[in-house]
mmCIF file of all heavy atoms in Angstrom:
data_model
loop_
_atom_site.group_PDB
_atom_site.id
_atom_site.type_symbol
_atom_site.label_atom_id
_atom_site.label_comp_id
_atom_site.label_asym_id
_atom_site.label_seq_id
_atom_site.Cartn_x
_atom_site.Cartn_y
_atom_site.Cartn_z
ATOM 1 N N LYS A 1232 -16.949 65.282 -58.896
ATOM 2 C CA LYS A 1232 -16.585 65.859 -57.550
ATOM 3 C C LYS A 1232 -17.607 66.828 -57.047
ATOM 4 O O LYS A 1232 -17.555 67.216 -55.868
ATOM 5 C CB LYS A 1232 -15.170 66.619 -57.713
ATOM 6 C CG LYS A 1232 -14.050 65.704 -58.287
ATOM 7 C CD LYS A 1232 -13.860 64.563 -57.325
ATOM 8 C CE LYS A 1232 -12.689 63.695 -57.709
ATOM 9 N NZ LYS A 1232 -12.329 62.606 -56.868
ATOM 10 N N ASN A 1233 -18.444 67.379 -57.812
ATOM 11 C CA ASN A 1233 -19.472 68.307 -57.379
ATOM 12 C C ASN A 1233 -20.852 67.733 -57.092
ATOM 13 O O ASN A 1233 -21.836 68.464 -56.761
ATOM 14 C CB ASN A 1233 -19.700 69.483 -58.423
ATOM 15 C CG ASN A 1233 -18.463 70.381 -58.479
ATOM 16 O OD1 ASN A 1233 -17.974 70.789 -57.476
ATOM 17 N ND2 ASN A 1233 -18.019 70.678 -59.740
ATOM 18 N N LEU A 1234 -20.970 66.383 -57.148
ATOM 19 C CA LEU A 1234 -22.173 65.729 -57.003
ATOM 20 C C LEU A 1234 -22.598 65.719 -55.487
ATOM 21 O O LEU A 1234 -21.898 65.430 -54.557
ATOM 22 C CB LEU A 1234 -22.058 64.233 -57.469
ATOM 23 C CG LEU A 1234 -23.283 63.521 -57.637
ATOM 24 C CD1 LEU A 1234 -24.004 64.048 -58.861
ATOM 25 C CD2 LEU A 1234 -23.078 62.008 -57.987
ATOM 26 N N HIS A 1235 -23.880 66.207 -55.330
ATOM 27 C CA HIS A 1235 -24.516 66.204 -53.986
ATOM 28 C C HIS A 1235 -25.427 65.270 -53.765
ATOM 29 O O HIS A 1235 -25.676 64.820 -52.573
ATOM 30 C CB HIS A 1235 -25.109 67.663 -53.807
ATOM 31 C CG HIS A 1235 -24.159 68.835 -53.564
ATOM 32 N ND1 HIS A 1235 -22.992 69.096 -54.289
ATOM 33 C CD2 HIS A 1235 -24.078 69.615 -52.507
ATOM 34 C CE1 HIS A 1235 -22.359 70.144 -53.811
ATOM 35 N NE2 HIS A 1235 -22.961 70.455 -52.699
ATOM 36 N N ILE A 1236 -26.183 64.749 -54.864
ATOM 37 C CA ILE A 1236 -27.248 63.722 -54.671
ATOM 38 C C ILE A 1236 -27.047 62.671 -55.633
ATOM 39 O O ILE A 1236 -26.929 62.943 -56.764
ATOM 40 C CB ILE A 1236 -28.690 64.495 -54.805
ATOM 41 C CG1 ILE A 1236 -28.897 65.463 -53.769
ATOM 42 C CG2 ILE A 1236 -29.754 63.456 -54.672
ATOM 43 C CD1 ILE A 1236 -30.199 66.294 -53.832
ATOM 44 N N LEU A 1237 -27.026 61.448 -55.163
ATOM 45 C CA LEU A 1237 -26.901 60.267 -56.034
ATOM 46 C C LEU A 1237 -27.983 59.249 -55.711
ATOM 47 O O LEU A 1237 -28.007 58.808 -54.438
ATOM 48 C CB LEU A 1237 -25.480 59.684 -55.945
ATOM 49 C CG LEU A 1237 -25.279 58.348 -56.593
ATOM 50 C CD1 LEU A 1237 -25.410 58.558 -58.157
ATOM 51 C CD2 LEU A 1237 -23.819 57.912 -56.417
ATOM 52 N N ASN A 1238 -28.713 58.822 -56.632
ATOM 53 C CA ASN A 1238 -29.700 57.731 -56.329
ATOM 54 C C ASN A 1238 -29.418 56.551 -57.125
ATOM 55 O O ASN A 1238 -29.571 56.600 -58.365
ATOM 56 C CB ASN A 1238 -31.165 58.325 -56.620
ATOM 57 C CG ASN A 1238 -32.196 57.460 -56.060
ATOM 58 O OD1 ASN A 1238 -31.962 56.270 -55.547
ATOM 59 N ND2 ASN A 1238 -33.366 57.762 -56.100
ATOM 60 N N LEU A 1239 -29.056 55.556 -56.530
ATOM 61 C CA LEU A 1239 -28.753 54.197 -57.079
ATOM 62 C C LEU A 1239 -29.875 53.090 -56.728
ATOM 63 O O LEU A 1239 -29.589 51.982 -56.918
ATOM 64 C CB LEU A 1239 -27.334 53.705 -56.644
ATOM 65 C CG LEU A 1239 -26.136 54.572 -57.128
ATOM 66 C CD1 LEU A 1239 -24.930 54.178 -56.429
ATOM 67 C CD2 LEU A 1239 -26.069 54.319 -58.690
ATOM 68 N N GLY A 1240 -30.896 53.534 -56.080
ATOM 69 C CA GLY A 1240 -31.871 52.578 -55.505
ATOM 70 C C GLY A 1240 -32.504 51.684 -56.713
ATOM 71 O O GLY A 1240 -32.506 52.186 -57.827
ATOM 72 N N LEU A 1241 -33.155 50.668 -56.296
ATOM 73 C CA LEU A 1241 -33.937 49.819 -57.191
ATOM 74 C C LEU A 1241 -33.180 49.381 -58.358
ATOM 75 O O LEU A 1241 -33.411 49.573 -59.640
ATOM 76 C CB LEU A 1241 -35.221 50.556 -57.700
ATOM 77 C CG LEU A 1241 -36.496 50.329 -56.765
ATOM 78 C CD1 LEU A 1241 -37.631 51.280 -57.150
ATOM 79 C CD2 LEU A 1241 -36.968 48.915 -56.825
ATOM 80 N N ASN A 1242 -31.874 48.897 -58.136
ATOM 81 C CA ASN A 1242 -31.190 48.302 -59.200
ATOM 82 C C ASN A 1242 -30.731 46.861 -58.814
ATOM 83 O O ASN A 1242 -31.399 46.222 -58.037
ATOM 84 C CB ASN A 1242 -29.974 49.248 -59.392
ATOM 85 C CG ASN A 1242 -30.230 50.343 -60.392
ATOM 86 O OD1 ASN A 1242 -30.453 50.191 -61.572
ATOM 87 N ND2 ASN A 1242 -30.274 51.551 -59.827
ATOM 88 N N CYS A 1243 -29.620 46.332 -59.406
ATOM 89 C CA CYS A 1243 -29.196 44.998 -59.097
ATOM 90 C C CYS A 1243 -27.812 44.994 -58.522
ATOM 91 O O CYS A 1243 -26.980 44.102 -58.905
ATOM 92 C CB CYS A 1243 -29.236 44.121 -60.407
ATOM 93 S SG CYS A 1243 -30.799 44.192 -61.224
ATOM 94 N N LEU A 1244 -27.573 45.933 -57.588
ATOM 95 C CA LEU A 1244 -26.184 46.028 -56.983
ATOM 96 C C LEU A 1244 -26.010 45.142 -55.898
ATOM 97 O O LEU A 1244 -26.858 45.100 -55.018
ATOM 98 C CB LEU A 1244 -25.849 47.499 -56.735
ATOM 99 C CG LEU A 1244 -26.248 48.622 -57.576
ATOM 100 C CD1 LEU A 1244 -26.055 50.050 -56.946
ATOM 101 C CD2 LEU A 1244 -25.362 48.492 -58.823
ATOM 102 N N ASP A 1245 -24.760 44.356 -55.979
ATOM 103 C CA ASP A 1245 -24.565 43.511 -54.804
ATOM 104 C C ASP A 1245 -23.506 44.006 -53.913
ATOM 105 O O ASP A 1245 -23.063 43.584 -52.868
ATOM 106 C CB ASP A 1245 -24.158 42.065 -55.225
ATOM 107 C CG ASP A 1245 -23.071 42.056 -56.274
ATOM 108 O OD1 ASP A 1245 -22.331 43.062 -56.362
ATOM 109 O OD2 ASP A 1245 -22.910 41.014 -56.998
ATOM 110 N N SER A 1246 -22.802 45.092 -54.386
ATOM 111 C CA SER A 1246 -21.824 45.870 -53.577
ATOM 112 C C SER A 1246 -21.692 47.292 -54.130
ATOM 113 O O SER A 1246 -22.188 47.600 -55.154
ATOM 114 C CB SER A 1246 -20.492 45.138 -53.696
ATOM 115 O OG SER A 1246 -19.947 45.170 -54.936
ATOM 116 N N ILE A 1247 -21.136 48.073 -53.328
ATOM 117 C CA ILE A 1247 -20.905 49.547 -53.645
ATOM 118 C C ILE A 1247 -19.472 49.731 -53.713
ATOM 119 O O ILE A 1247 -18.633 49.403 -52.774
ATOM 120 C CB ILE A 1247 -21.473 50.498 -52.583
ATOM 121 C CG1 ILE A 1247 -22.998 50.241 -52.509
ATOM 122 C CG2 ILE A 1247 -21.154 51.927 -52.809
ATOM 123 C CD1 ILE A 1247 -23.717 50.562 -53.702
ATOM 124 N N PRO A 1248 -18.979 50.265 -54.909
ATOM 125 C CA PRO A 1248 -17.507 50.515 -55.166
ATOM 126 C C PRO A 1248 -17.022 51.493 -54.097
ATOM 127 O O PRO A 1248 -17.483 52.428 -53.634
ATOM 128 C CB PRO A 1248 -17.495 51.203 -56.431
ATOM 129 C CG PRO A 1248 -18.733 50.906 -57.185
ATOM 130 C CD PRO A 1248 -19.787 50.693 -56.074
ATOM 131 N N THR A 1249 -15.848 51.059 -53.366
ATOM 132 C CA THR A 1249 -15.259 51.946 -52.399
ATOM 133 C C THR A 1249 -14.830 53.259 -52.963
ATOM 134 O O THR A 1249 -14.660 54.269 -52.213
ATOM 135 C CB THR A 1249 -14.048 51.238 -51.743
ATOM 136 O OG1 THR A 1249 -13.129 50.873 -52.846
ATOM 137 C CG2 THR A 1249 -14.479 49.942 -51.170
ATOM 138 N N SER A 1250 -14.550 53.214 -54.305
ATOM 139 C CA SER A 1250 -14.210 54.556 -55.014
ATOM 140 C C SER A 1250 -15.163 55.697 -54.818
ATOM 141 O O SER A 1250 -14.815 56.858 -55.093
ATOM 142 C CB SER A 1250 -13.799 54.269 -56.435
ATOM 143 O OG SER A 1250 -14.936 53.731 -57.102
ATOM 144 N N LEU A 1251 -16.451 55.394 -54.528
ATOM 145 C CA LEU A 1251 -17.333 56.380 -54.408
ATOM 146 C C LEU A 1251 -17.119 57.297 -53.224
ATOM 147 O O LEU A 1251 -17.730 58.316 -53.120
ATOM 148 C CB LEU A 1251 -18.872 55.764 -54.293
ATOM 149 C CG LEU A 1251 -19.433 55.120 -55.623
ATOM 150 C CD1 LEU A 1251 -20.898 54.753 -55.325
ATOM 151 C CD2 LEU A 1251 -19.281 56.107 -56.713
ATOM 152 N N GLY A 1252 -16.240 56.786 -52.395
ATOM 153 C CA GLY A 1252 -15.759 57.562 -51.282
ATOM 154 C C GLY A 1252 -15.000 58.866 -51.707
ATOM 155 O O GLY A 1252 -14.755 59.737 -50.882
ATOM 156 N N ALA A 1253 -14.760 58.946 -52.985
ATOM 157 C CA ALA A 1253 -14.129 60.160 -53.561
ATOM 158 C C ALA A 1253 -15.068 61.404 -53.772
ATOM 159 O O ALA A 1253 -14.549 62.466 -53.967
ATOM 160 C CB ALA A 1253 -13.333 59.825 -54.864
ATOM 161 N N LEU A 1254 -16.306 60.985 -53.532
ATOM 162 C CA LEU A 1254 -17.319 62.037 -53.761
ATOM 163 C C LEU A 1254 -17.558 62.817 -52.445
ATOM 164 O O LEU A 1254 -18.602 62.661 -51.780
ATOM 165 C CB LEU A 1254 -18.649 61.395 -54.189
ATOM 166 C CG LEU A 1254 -18.484 60.579 -55.570
ATOM 167 C CD1 LEU A 1254 -19.946 59.943 -55.831
ATOM 168 C CD2 LEU A 1254 -18.070 61.338 -56.719
ATOM 169 N N LYS A 1255 -16.613 63.690 -52.221
ATOM 170 C CA LYS A 1255 -16.584 64.370 -50.873
ATOM 171 C C LYS A 1255 -17.773 65.327 -50.633
ATOM 172 O O LYS A 1255 -17.998 65.677 -49.555
ATOM 173 C CB LYS A 1255 -15.228 65.044 -50.748
ATOM 174 C CG LYS A 1255 -13.941 64.173 -50.862
ATOM 175 C CD LYS A 1255 -14.017 63.116 -49.789
ATOM 176 C CE LYS A 1255 -12.807 62.234 -49.776
ATOM 177 N NZ LYS A 1255 -12.817 61.079 -48.885
ATOM 178 N N GLU A 1256 -18.335 65.770 -51.782
ATOM 179 C CA GLU A 1256 -19.463 66.726 -51.682
ATOM 180 C C GLU A 1256 -20.810 66.086 -51.421
ATOM 181 O O GLU A 1256 -21.901 66.799 -51.301
ATOM 182 C CB GLU A 1256 -19.584 67.686 -52.853
ATOM 183 C CG GLU A 1256 -18.227 68.538 -52.951
ATOM 184 C CD GLU A 1256 -18.028 69.513 -51.763
ATOM 185 O OE1 GLU A 1256 -19.117 70.022 -51.310
ATOM 186 O OE2 GLU A 1256 -16.940 69.693 -51.393
ATOM 187 N N LEU A 1257 -20.816 64.738 -51.675
ATOM 188 C CA LEU A 1257 -22.119 64.017 -51.535
ATOM 189 C C LEU A 1257 -22.840 64.257 -50.202
ATOM 190 O O LEU A 1257 -22.227 64.009 -49.162
ATOM 191 C CB LEU A 1257 -21.745 62.493 -51.824
ATOM 192 C CG LEU A 1257 -23.007 61.689 -52.377
ATOM 193 C CD1 LEU A 1257 -23.360 62.154 -53.755
ATOM 194 C CD2 LEU A 1257 -22.665 60.197 -52.455
ATOM 195 N N GLN A 1258 -24.142 64.618 -50.325
ATOM 196 C CA GLN A 1258 -24.957 64.808 -49.124
ATOM 197 C C GLN A 1258 -26.018 63.783 -48.981
ATOM 198 O O GLN A 1258 -26.504 63.512 -47.875
ATOM 199 C CB GLN A 1258 -25.591 66.230 -49.257
ATOM 200 C CG GLN A 1258 -24.562 67.386 -49.146
ATOM 201 C CD GLN A 1258 -25.187 68.734 -49.175
ATOM 202 O OE1 GLN A 1258 -26.417 68.842 -49.030
ATOM 203 N NE2 GLN A 1258 -24.423 69.741 -49.251
ATOM 204 N N GLU A 1259 -26.541 63.196 -50.050
ATOM 205 C CA GLU A 1259 -27.640 62.235 -50.049
ATOM 206 C C GLU A 1259 -27.306 61.106 -51.004
ATOM 207 O O GLU A 1259 -26.883 61.309 -52.142
ATOM 208 C CB GLU A 1259 -29.020 62.793 -50.467
ATOM 209 C CG GLU A 1259 -29.417 64.005 -49.589
ATOM 210 C CD GLU A 1259 -30.792 64.443 -49.882
ATOM 211 O OE1 GLU A 1259 -31.506 63.778 -50.631
ATOM 212 O OE2 GLU A 1259 -31.165 65.517 -49.437
ATOM 213 N N ILE A 1260 -27.435 59.928 -50.644
ATOM 214 C CA ILE A 1260 -27.240 58.708 -51.450
ATOM 215 C C ILE A 1260 -28.470 57.754 -51.281
ATOM 216 O O ILE A 1260 -28.701 57.435 -49.989
ATOM 217 C CB ILE A 1260 -25.935 58.112 -51.260
ATOM 218 C CG1 ILE A 1260 -25.767 56.964 -52.298
ATOM 219 C CG2 ILE A 1260 -25.696 57.670 -49.845
ATOM 220 C CD1 ILE A 1260 -24.258 56.418 -52.381
ATOM 221 N N GLY A 1261 -29.074 57.305 -52.266
ATOM 222 C CA GLY A 1261 -29.993 56.283 -52.191
ATOM 223 C C GLY A 1261 -29.540 54.909 -52.709
ATOM 224 O O GLY A 1261 -29.006 54.749 -53.794
ATOM 225 N N LEU A 1262 -29.572 53.955 -51.888
ATOM 226 C CA LEU A 1262 -29.175 52.539 -52.132
ATOM 227 C C LEU A 1262 -30.135 51.494 -51.895
ATOM 228 O O LEU A 1262 -29.890 50.286 -51.846
ATOM 229 C CB LEU A 1262 -27.883 52.240 -51.282
ATOM 230 C CG LEU A 1262 -26.725 53.154 -51.400
ATOM 231 C CD1 LEU A 1262 -25.626 52.774 -50.348
ATOM 232 C CD2 LEU A 1262 -26.069 53.106 -52.766
ATOM 233 N N PHE A 1263 -31.416 51.897 -51.819
ATOM 234 C CA PHE A 1263 -32.501 51.076 -51.313
ATOM 235 C C PHE A 1263 -32.788 50.058 -52.414
ATOM 236 O O PHE A 1263 -32.505 50.197 -53.627
ATOM 237 C CB PHE A 1263 -33.688 51.968 -51.072
ATOM 238 C CG PHE A 1263 -34.095 52.864 -52.131
ATOM 239 C CD1 PHE A 1263 -34.804 52.487 -53.172
ATOM 240 C CD2 PHE A 1263 -33.568 54.112 -52.047
ATOM 241 C CE1 PHE A 1263 -35.077 53.458 -54.180
ATOM 242 C CE2 PHE A 1263 -33.895 55.115 -52.971
ATOM 243 C CZ PHE A 1263 -34.716 54.707 -54.081
ATOM 244 N N ASP A 1264 -33.403 48.979 -52.007
ATOM 245 C CA ASP A 1264 -33.913 47.921 -52.982
ATOM 246 C C ASP A 1264 -32.882 47.378 -53.915
ATOM 247 O O ASP A 1264 -32.948 47.395 -55.169
ATOM 248 C CB ASP A 1264 -35.173 48.484 -53.705
ATOM 249 C CG ASP A 1264 -36.342 48.669 -52.910
ATOM 250 O OD1 ASP A 1264 -36.988 47.864 -52.417
ATOM 251 O OD2 ASP A 1264 -36.631 49.942 -52.574
ATOM 252 N N ASN A 1265 -31.660 47.023 -53.383
ATOM 253 C CA ASN A 1265 -30.749 46.351 -54.070
ATOM 254 C C ASN A 1265 -30.417 45.060 -53.449
ATOM 255 O O ASN A 1265 -31.196 44.565 -52.760
ATOM 256 C CB ASN A 1265 -29.418 47.270 -54.226
ATOM 257 C CG ASN A 1265 -29.430 48.370 -55.249
ATOM 258 O OD1 ASN A 1265 -29.488 48.003 -56.453
ATOM 259 N ND2 ASN A 1265 -29.625 49.525 -54.848
ATOM 260 N N SER A 1266 -29.108 44.480 -53.608
ATOM 261 C CA SER A 1266 -28.801 43.246 -53.085
ATOM 262 C C SER A 1266 -27.527 43.332 -52.208
ATOM 263 O O SER A 1266 -26.684 42.442 -52.234
ATOM 264 C CB SER A 1266 -28.539 42.102 -54.108
ATOM 265 O OG SER A 1266 -29.693 41.943 -54.958
ATOM 266 N N LEU A 1267 -27.463 44.483 -51.484
ATOM 267 C CA LEU A 1267 -26.322 44.782 -50.810
ATOM 268 C C LEU A 1267 -26.238 43.974 -49.391
ATOM 269 O O LEU A 1267 -27.254 43.936 -48.771
ATOM 270 C CB LEU A 1267 -26.290 46.273 -50.468
ATOM 271 C CG LEU A 1267 -26.329 47.265 -51.604
ATOM 272 C CD1 LEU A 1267 -26.425 48.691 -51.199
ATOM 273 C CD2 LEU A 1267 -25.084 46.987 -52.533
ATOM 274 N N THR A 1268 -25.099 43.607 -48.969
ATOM 275 C CA THR A 1268 -24.928 43.019 -47.733
ATOM 276 C C THR A 1268 -23.901 43.821 -46.826
ATOM 277 O O THR A 1268 -23.822 43.555 -45.685
ATOM 278 C CB THR A 1268 -24.163 41.549 -47.881
ATOM 279 O OG1 THR A 1268 -23.040 41.639 -48.599
ATOM 280 C CG2 THR A 1268 -25.212 40.590 -48.514
ATOM 281 N N THR A 1269 -23.336 44.758 -47.505
ATOM 282 C CA THR A 1269 -22.436 45.788 -46.710
ATOM 283 C C THR A 1269 -22.327 47.003 -47.449
ATOM 284 O O THR A 1269 -22.706 47.157 -48.753
ATOM 285 C CB THR A 1269 -21.071 45.102 -46.490
ATOM 286 O OG1 THR A 1269 -20.232 45.924 -45.615
ATOM 287 C CG2 THR A 1269 -20.321 44.907 -47.813
ATOM 288 N N ILE A 1270 -21.978 47.971 -46.819
ATOM 289 C CA ILE A 1270 -21.632 49.331 -47.368
ATOM 290 C C ILE A 1270 -20.272 49.800 -46.961
ATOM 291 O O ILE A 1270 -19.898 49.745 -45.812
ATOM 292 C CB ILE A 1270 -22.612 50.343 -46.948
ATOM 293 C CG1 ILE A 1270 -24.042 49.994 -47.413
ATOM 294 C CG2 ILE A 1270 -22.304 51.770 -47.523
ATOM 295 C CD1 ILE A 1270 -25.233 50.953 -47.099
ATOM 296 N N PRO A 1271 -19.339 50.104 -47.842
ATOM 297 C CA PRO A 1271 -17.986 50.486 -47.518
ATOM 298 C C PRO A 1271 -17.920 51.588 -46.570
ATOM 299 O O PRO A 1271 -18.743 52.570 -46.687
ATOM 300 C CB PRO A 1271 -17.329 50.657 -48.861
ATOM 301 C CG PRO A 1271 -18.414 50.963 -49.819
ATOM 302 C CD PRO A 1271 -19.585 50.168 -49.233
ATOM 303 N N ASN A 1272 -16.924 51.677 -45.586
ATOM 304 C CA ASN A 1272 -16.764 52.759 -44.739
ATOM 305 C C ASN A 1272 -16.533 54.078 -45.446
ATOM 306 O O ASN A 1272 -16.743 55.191 -45.033
ATOM 307 C CB ASN A 1272 -15.587 52.472 -43.749
ATOM 308 C CG ASN A 1272 -15.985 51.415 -42.722
ATOM 309 O OD1 ASN A 1272 -17.209 51.327 -42.415
ATOM 310 N ND2 ASN A 1272 -15.073 50.677 -42.307
ATOM 311 N N SER A 1273 -15.800 53.928 -46.625
ATOM 312 C CA SER A 1273 -15.453 55.045 -47.447
ATOM 313 C C SER A 1273 -16.671 55.904 -47.869
ATOM 314 O O SER A 1273 -16.685 57.134 -48.047
ATOM 315 C CB SER A 1273 -14.630 54.695 -48.671
ATOM 316 O OG SER A 1273 -15.447 53.904 -49.508
ATOM 317 N N VAL A 1274 -17.797 55.104 -47.945
ATOM 318 C CA VAL A 1274 -19.090 55.776 -48.385
ATOM 319 C C VAL A 1274 -19.910 56.303 -47.112
ATOM 320 O O VAL A 1274 -20.276 57.384 -46.968
ATOM 321 C CB VAL A 1274 -19.991 54.866 -49.247
ATOM 322 C CG1 VAL A 1274 -21.355 55.528 -49.435
ATOM 323 C CG2 VAL A 1274 -19.321 54.577 -50.504
#
């Protein structure tokens, strides 16, 4: 709940869990260089 910066870049992600929308304090998120075709509105 206190996470402000999360970097998930350069992995093998094909989607982002909608549950990450619970990280209300998040200010920066890195999702670059994955296999994403969409990003959930919750994020």
Side-chain angles (χ1 to χ4, degrees):
K1232 303 301 184 182
N1233 290 310
L1234 199 64
H1235 281 56
I1236 299 177
L1237 173 62
N1238 193 350
L1239 293 167
L1241 272 169
N1242 277 291
C1243 306
L1244 307 177
D1245 54 21
S1246 65
I1247 298 299
T1249 58
S1250 59
L1251 290 186
L1254 303 179
K1255 302 301 183 183
E1256 297 300 320
L1257 203 63
Q1258 296 182 7
E1259 299 184 15
I1260 183 169
L1262 301 173
F1263 50 86
D1264 294 286
N1265 278 289
S1266 300
L1267 304 176
T1268 56
T1269 186
I1270 295 176
N1272 288 331
S1273 61
V1274 174

